[in-house]
């Protein structure tokens, strides 16, 4: 992470693409990894240019080293479904693991270990278990929505998106409810870039992660001595392939489940509000026919693409989209681009709530690492929008939306809104 | 006499069928989808596509097919009727990998995108699970 902090003020990084003309700059200089264009919401023209002119693009120099950008839907699908060539090890992030911060988790493992560990925990977010949680989720959604002020400005991100996903996480972990904001904090800290609001240094991240490990170790110890329960900590503690995990791996999997269940759904909750504000005709369509919610939430997840990319590492030489990939190369699948690929998705920049084949988006990834929590995310979003439509004529955005400084987590830090009742 | 007529009719139908097959004109194949609650959805499709496509193009509920048929999710999961399971091609490694991550896999579980609709499957019966995951 290159940071330039001078007397407490940051000057733009030399790597930033913000303000550059995507259509005229030399192709070789395009670098999607730097967070600037993502926070400034300027990334789409860069993605469009690469899809058109150089769909498998090599960036030789960046703050995170050299890497390939894969921007077309079909090429992304090929990488995601070829784990024998494109490995998830050692990490799925663009930064080669921080030495200070290396926690293995099954998202960054290949078979067979990945499969064994994933199987231990996925039951908690499988539809059969979710059916039992539906009533509770709806109750919590209603409580949150009924506590919101009407005709008065507030921050949707804090009061709704974060609150709802944090409550859900606390439920899945059977985490002490009064301490649930710790989960949000650990999730934010785990993916934050030092110096951009959440943490100031890597040391600060380390301290926070140690606190997280200590807390969850305590929960583990409590639950290992009890009968197996249906929460994630108990499942890890009693699972045959997870109960002897070393502490770093335990923490890695806990962080994975926290981040996976937190940032992503949070930003889809906010993203839906933004999309409906940008496409008022679609909002009207939804008012006329609230049964479109189910289709709409898949469209929200596509349009938002809450994780912009996943990284793989080539295990062998391979040819992708006509380009020669060498063993050891970093290969980045830009889901945020594949989801806007006009060759596969009709009018991809349009938010279209009754879009045909709406489920065929890349946001959950495909293949062995496909998002484990996808049904939970969909259920949370469905319930939320059903209940919003019961209560409010419009959730209106009334000020500037602020975005996360990250090329990985694609989302919002602030969204000022006013609620207009029905 | 009636018996003879029926045999003759059957022979004529079989001959007509053979002629169609010989000419390369595609047969209509019957597939019965049964939902977890017992609701039946009979469909008639031409040979050539997949069982997943047969369901989706006929509006059979319970099959999502999120990846569009490339064996890279498991949301077209079905339970093949045990009488039919031996007539199918064996499970390939990719299908096996995706199915192995399913939480409700049974002995006759298959991904319906990996079952081509062929003449020998006329009458196929598959059950759709309560949930796709």
């Amino acid at each position: 992470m290159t940071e330039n902090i001078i007397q407490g003020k940051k000057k733009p990084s030399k790597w930033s693409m913000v303000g550059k003309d995507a259509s005229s700059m030399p192709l070789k200089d395009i670098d999607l990894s730097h967070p600037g264009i993502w926070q400034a919401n300027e990334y789409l023209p860069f993605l469009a240019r690469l899809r058109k002119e150089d769909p498998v693009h090599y960036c030789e120099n960046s703050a995170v080293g050299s890497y390939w950008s894969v921007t077309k839907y079909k090429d992304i699908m090929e990488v995601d479904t070829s784990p024998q060539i494109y490995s998830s090890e050692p990490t799925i992030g663009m930064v080669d693991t921080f030495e200070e911060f290396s926690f293995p988790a099954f998202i960054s493992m290949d078979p067979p270990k990945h499969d064994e560990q994933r199987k231990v925990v996925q039951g908690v977010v499988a539809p059969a278990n979710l059916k039992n949680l539906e009533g509770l989720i709806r109750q919590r959604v209603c409580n949150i929505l009924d506590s919101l002020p009407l005709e008065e400005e507030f921050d949707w991100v804090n009061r709704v998106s974060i609150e709802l996903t944090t409550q859900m996480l606390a439920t899945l972990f059977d985490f002490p409810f009064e301490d649930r904001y710790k989960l949000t904090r650990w999730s934010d800290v785990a993916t934050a870039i030092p110096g951009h609001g959440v943490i100031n240094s890597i040391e600060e991240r380390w301290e926070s992660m140690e606190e997280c490990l200590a807390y969850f170790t305590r929960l583990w110890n409590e639950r290992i001595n009890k009968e197996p329960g249906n929460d994630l900590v108990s499942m890890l503690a009693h699972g045959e392939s997870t109960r002897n995990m070393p502490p770093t791996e335990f923490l890695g999997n806990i962080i994975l489940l926290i981040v996976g269940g937190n940032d992503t759904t949070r930003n889809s909750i906010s993203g839906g509000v933004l999309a409906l504000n940008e496409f008022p005709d679609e909002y009207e369509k939804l008012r006329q026919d609230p049964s479109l919610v189910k289709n709409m939430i898949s469209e929200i997840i596509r349009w938002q693409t809450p994780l912009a990319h996943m990284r793989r590492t080539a295990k062998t030489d391979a040819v992708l989209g006509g380009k020669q990939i060498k063993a050891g190369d970093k290969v980045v699948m830009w889901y945020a681009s594949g989801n806007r690929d006009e060759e596969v998705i009709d009018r991809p920049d349009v938010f279209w709530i009754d879009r045909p084949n709406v489920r065929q988006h890349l946001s959950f990834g495909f293949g062995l690492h496909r998002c484990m929590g996808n049904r939970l995310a969909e259920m949370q979003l469905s319930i939320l929008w059903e209940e919003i439509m019961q209560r409010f004529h419009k959730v209106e955005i009334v000020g500037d939306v602020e975005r996360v400084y990250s090329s990985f987590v694609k989302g919002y830090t602030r969204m000022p809104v006013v609620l207009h009742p029905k | 006499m009636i018996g003879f007529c029926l045999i003759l009719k059957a022979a004529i139908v079989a001959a007509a069928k053979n002629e169609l097959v010989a000419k390369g004109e595609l047969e209509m194949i019957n597939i019965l989808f049964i939902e977890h609650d017992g609701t039946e959805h009979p469909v008639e499709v031409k040979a050539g596509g997949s069982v997943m496509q047969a369901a989706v193009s006929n509006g059979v509920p319970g099959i999502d097919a999120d990846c569009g048929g490339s064996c890279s999710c498991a949301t077209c999961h079905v339970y093949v009727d045990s009488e039919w399971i031996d007539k199918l091609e064996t499970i390939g490694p990719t299908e096996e990998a995706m199915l192995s991550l399913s939480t409700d896999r049974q002995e006759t579980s298959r991904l319906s995108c990996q079952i081509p609709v062929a003449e020998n499957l006329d009458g196929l019966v598959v059950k759709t699970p309560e949930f796709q995951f």
Side-chain angles (χ1 to χ4, degrees):
Chain A
M1 294 292 129
T2 309
E3 296 307 332
N4 303 297
I5 301 174
I6 301 163
Q7 294 171 342
K9 279 194 172 179
K10 281 193 300 294
K11 68 173 189 189
S13 157
K14 70 166 179 161
W15 301 106
S16 177
M17 301 264 116
V18 174
K20 292 188 179 166
D21 181 5
S23 61
S24 66
M25 70 182 294
L27 263 179
K28 70 173 181 51
D29 293 341
I30 292 182
D31 171 16
L32 301 177
S33 72
H34 192 271
I37 46 169
W38 298 89
Q39 185 182 39
N41 196 27
E42 293 178 12
Y43 58 92
L44 283 173
F46 291 94
L47 302 180
R49 175 131 187 249
L50 290 189
R51 278 197 308 274
K52 193 160 173 246
E53 294 180 29
D54 196 20
V56 179
H57 170 261
Y58 192 61
C59 176
E60 194 168 356
N61 291 305
S62 84
V64 295
S66 55
Y67 64 93
W68 294 94
S69 279
V70 186
T71 52
K72 296 284 285 181
Y73 188 106
K74 283 178 183 154
D75 293 331
I76 291 170
M77 194 69 139
E78 185 177 336
V79 173
D80 229 357
T81 56
S82 309
Q84 68 288 2
I85 300 172
Y86 303 104
S87 169
S88 293
E89 299 177 3
T91 173
I92 49 82
M94 289 187 78
V95 183
D96 291 304
T97 35
F98 309 103
E99 278 176 38
E100 311 88 330
F101 182 65
S102 170
F103 303 125
F106 63 82
I107 195 173
S108 50
M109 291 172 189
D110 290 331
K113 204 171 170 191
H114 159 269
D115 302 14
E116 291 161 8
Q117 293 200 354
R118 175 176 170 139
K119 278 180 199 167
V120 173
V121 287
Q122 67 178 1
V124 80
V125 286
N129 194 40
L130 294 183
K131 200 175 163 188
N132 302 324
L133 287 173
E134 183 173 349
L136 180 65
I137 297 177
R138 191 173 298 275
Q139 188 55 51
R140 289 188 170 160
V141 166
C142 292
N143 288 346
I144 291 170
L145 293 180
D146 290 338
S147 75
L148 299 171
L150 299 175
E151 306 294 359
E152 185 187 305
E153 186 181 321
F154 68 92
D155 179 15
W156 182 264
V157 172
N158 247 316
R159 293 283 299 268
V160 181
S161 310
I162 291 181
E163 188 57 41
L164 179 57
T165 43
T166 304
Q167 289 191 12
M168 195 60 237
L169 264 186
T171 306
L172 294 179
F173 282 111
D174 194 10
F175 192 88
F177 208 62
E178 62 285 2
D179 277 350
R180 65 186 184 277
Y181 301 106
K182 288 180 189 292
L183 293 170
T184 321
R185 170 76 189 161
W186 293 327
S187 172
D188 290 345
V189 167
T191 57
I193 295 169
H196 288 271
V198 181
I199 47 171
N200 291 313
S201 64
I202 287 186
E203 289 70 38
E204 204 179 332
R205 184 195 332 265
W206 183 232
E207 281 165 26
S208 200
M209 293 297 101
E210 279 188 346
E211 185 203 1
C212 176
L213 176 60
Y215 201 113
F216 272 100
T217 304
R218 186 161 60 76
L219 296 182
W220 170 292
N221 289 334
E222 278 170 24
R223 290 177 199 171
I224 191 89
N225 296 317
K226 287 185 187 163
E227 287 297 301
N230 281 325
D231 65 276
L232 288 167
V233 180
S234 182
M235 284 177 166
L236 288 172
H238 291 277
E240 204 169 302
S241 30
T242 49
R243 66 180 168 216
N244 295 319
M245 278 192 296
T248 50
E249 207 167 305
F250 173 55
L251 182 59
N253 279 312
I254 291 287
I255 295 292
L256 165 63
L257 295 167
I258 295 177
V259 174
N262 191 41
D263 276 341
T264 51
T265 313
R266 175 203 297 182
N267 291 318
S268 292
I269 291 174
S270 305
V273 172
L274 181 61
L276 287 168
N277 273 261
E278 285 188 13
F279 294 85
D281 292 351
E282 295 299 298
Y283 208 155
E284 186 50 34
K285 206 192 272 176
L286 180 64
R287 276 184 214 107
Q288 297 303 323
D289 183 4
S291 73
L292 292 173
V293 159
K294 197 166 182 299
N295 207 74
M296 177 182 77
I297 52 131
S298 289
E299 176 68 346
I300 290 174
I301 294 166
R302 178 195 73 88
W303 191 83
Q304 178 56 35
T305 318
L307 293 179
H309 73 260
M310 285 283 169
R311 170 243 176 117
R312 298 289 184 260
T313 304
K315 282 204 277 199
T316 57
D317 290 358
V319 175
L320 179 68
K323 297 289 180 83
Q324 181 65 55
I325 313 280
K326 293 220 159 60
D329 283 357
K330 228 185 254 194
V331 178
V332 181
M333 302 174 281
W334 291 98
Y335 295 141
S337 175
N339 274 340
R340 301 293 179 110
D341 184 349
E342 38 289 274
E343 244 178 50
V344 178
I345 295 163
D346 185 17
R347 284 169 286 160
D349 291 328
V350 174
F351 178 72
W352 176 8
I353 66 170
D354 46 351
R355 178 182 286 283
N357 299 323
V358 71
R359 300 189 57 85
Q360 291 176 21
H361 59 73
L362 292 170
S363 300
F364 295 134
F366 280 111
L368 292 177
H369 290 277
R370 183 170 166 80
C371 174
M372 186 179 94
N374 67 54
R375 296 291 166 174
L376 172 63
E378 289 174 350
M379 187 165 109
Q380 282 181 277
L381 286 166
S382 287
I383 293 174
L384 177 70
W385 280 100
E386 283 163 17
E387 297 299 331
I388 288 174
M389 296 314 290
Q390 297 265 336
R391 287 166 175 75
F392 311 122
H393 175 72
K394 186 172 186 188
V395 185
E396 185 189 6
I397 297 182
V398 292
D400 289 339
V401 167
E402 290 170 13
R403 289 176 165 80
V404 180
Y405 184 76
S406 171
S407 57
F408 179 63
V409 173
K410 192 165 157 291
Y412 310 90
T413 51
R414 183 172 172 273
M415 187 172 283
V417 300
V418 167
L419 294 181
H420 305 293
K422 272 179 114 168
Chain B
M1 185 65 187
I2 295 172
F4 175 73
C5 280
L6 281 176
I7 291 166
L8 184 65
K9 193 180 163 195
I12 292 168
V13 168
K17 257 186 163 181
N18 287 339
E19 195 183 340
L20 274 176
V21 173
K23 272 202 252 169
E25 287 181 26
L26 295 169
E27 278 302 301
M28 293 309 278
I29 315 284
N30 292 287
I31 303 174
L32 179 62
F33 293 91
I34 307 175
E35 285 185 71
H36 71 98
D37 65 2
T39 313
E40 297 192 351
H41 301 271
V43 306
E44 230 190 27
V45 286
K46 288 181 177 169
S50 69
V51 170
M52 178 278 280
Q53 287 166 331
V56 171
S57 58
N58 285 283
V60 175
I63 290 186
D64 291 330
D66 290 359
C67 76
S70 52
C71 198
S72 21
C73 64
T75 63
C76 66
H77 180 197
V78 293
Y79 305 121
V80 176
D81 187 278
S82 51
E83 291 194 9
W84 287 90
I85 196 76
D86 292 337
K87 296 196 169 61
L88 306 184
E89 299 282 318
T90 50
I91 298 180
T94 311
E95 184 182 355
E96 175 58 38
M98 294 313 302
L99 269 175
S100 77
L101 289 175
S102 167
T103 47
D104 46 10
R105 183 178 187 177
Q106 295 176 9
E107 213 171 303
T108 67
S109 283
R110 293 298 302 258
L111 297 182
S112 56
C113 74
Q114 298 304 301
I115 309 174
V117 175
E119 271 83 7
N120 70 332
L121 295 186
D122 188 23
L124 176 69
V125 179
V126 301
K127 288 187 178 151
T128 53
E130 186 174 4
F131 309 105
Q132 293 290 353
F133 180 42

